[in-house]
Amino acid sequence: MHPLSAVDMNLRHIRSILAMTIVLALSGCGTPSILTEPANPTSAVILDERAAAAAISQYRARHGLGPVAVDTSLTRAAEAQARVNAQAGRLSHDLGGAFTSRMAAAGYGRAHAAENLGAGAATFEEALARWKASTEHNKNMLIPQLSRIGIARVDAPGSRYKRFWALVLASG
């Protein structure tokens, strides 16, 4: 057998295996349940925002910084960002639009502002511990000018991480 014809036979064999794999993969794509049920339902969780603000304020005080208070506009911004990340099943500061645009919409267009995202933590205390352990997230919480926060958790039980957190911080 000529070596070129053996290569041709191998390519034909690979092509037929690839074609069968594609057919099998696509065979389950048209089921009605996939079209009618959301792949990743999400639900916002009611948090004790004042307790979160108190915990962040205590942490900031240990670093010689002033306290933070809950701001409803920032809480709405945090919930929107947590929700869009939960729906996508991944973390990204860009999913809900540019951060500066989101802060302007919340009324904090010219303020010092930062955002911490997290996924997987079961409790606020666990999310806070992770943010403290992360260099960049920790820097955000220790920006001296900050005085307002919004915190939210959105659950996505069908996702890999199950829980998505957003903490938005800004100067007042």
Side-chain angles (χ1 to χ4, degrees), residues 28-50:
C29 287
T31 60
S33 64
I34 291 174
L35 299 175
T36 58
E37 295 178 9
N40 195 12
T42 59
S43 60
V45 174
I46 297 172
L47 298 175
D48 186 346
E49 296 154 339
R50 289 187 181 159

Side-chain angles (χ1 to χ4, degrees), residues 121-142:
T123 65
F124 168 74
E125 292 77 14
E126 186 180 345
L128 182 60
R130 290 179 182 186
W131 289 329
K132 288 178 184 178
S134 163
T135 302
E136 292 304 314
H137 292 112
N138 191 54
K139 281 182 191 176
N140 286 345
M141 292 189 299
L142 298 178

Side-chain angles (χ1 to χ4, degrees), residues 21-158:
T21 303
I22 291 170
V23 168
L24 289 173
L26 293 176
S27 66
C29 287
T31 60
S33 64
I34 291 174
L35 299 175
T36 58
E37 295 178 9
N40 195 12
T42 59
S43 60
V45 174
I46 297 172
L47 298 175
D48 186 346
E49 296 154 339
R50 289 187 181 159
I56 293 169
S57 292
Q58 287 174 350
Y59 182 62
R60 288 173 54 84
R62 286 192 297 256
H63 290 29
L65 301 171
V68 294
V70 176
D71 181 287
T72 56
S73 293
L74 294 176
T75 298
R76 283 191 298 274
E79 184 177 335
Q81 192 60 15
R83 183 175 306 286
V84 73
N85 279 265
Q87 288 169 340
R90 63 185 179 89
L91 291 177
S92 173
H93 293 281
D94 298 324
L95 284 174
F99 179 67
T100 54
S101 298
R102 291 187 282 114
M103 289 301 91
Y108 286 91
R110 295 188 167 262
H112 288 86
E115 177 177 69
N116 287 356
L117 300 178
T123 65
F124 168 74
E125 292 77 14
E126 186 180 345
L128 182 60
R130 290 179 182 186
W131 289 329
K132 288 178 184 178
S134 163
T135 302
E136 292 304 314
H137 292 112
N138 191 54
K139 281 182 191 176
N140 286 345
M141 292 189 299
L142 298 178
I143 296 172
Q145 296 86 353
L146 301 179
S147 61
R148 319 291 289 167
I149 69 158
I151 179 89
R153 184 182 108 193
V154 173
D155 289 352

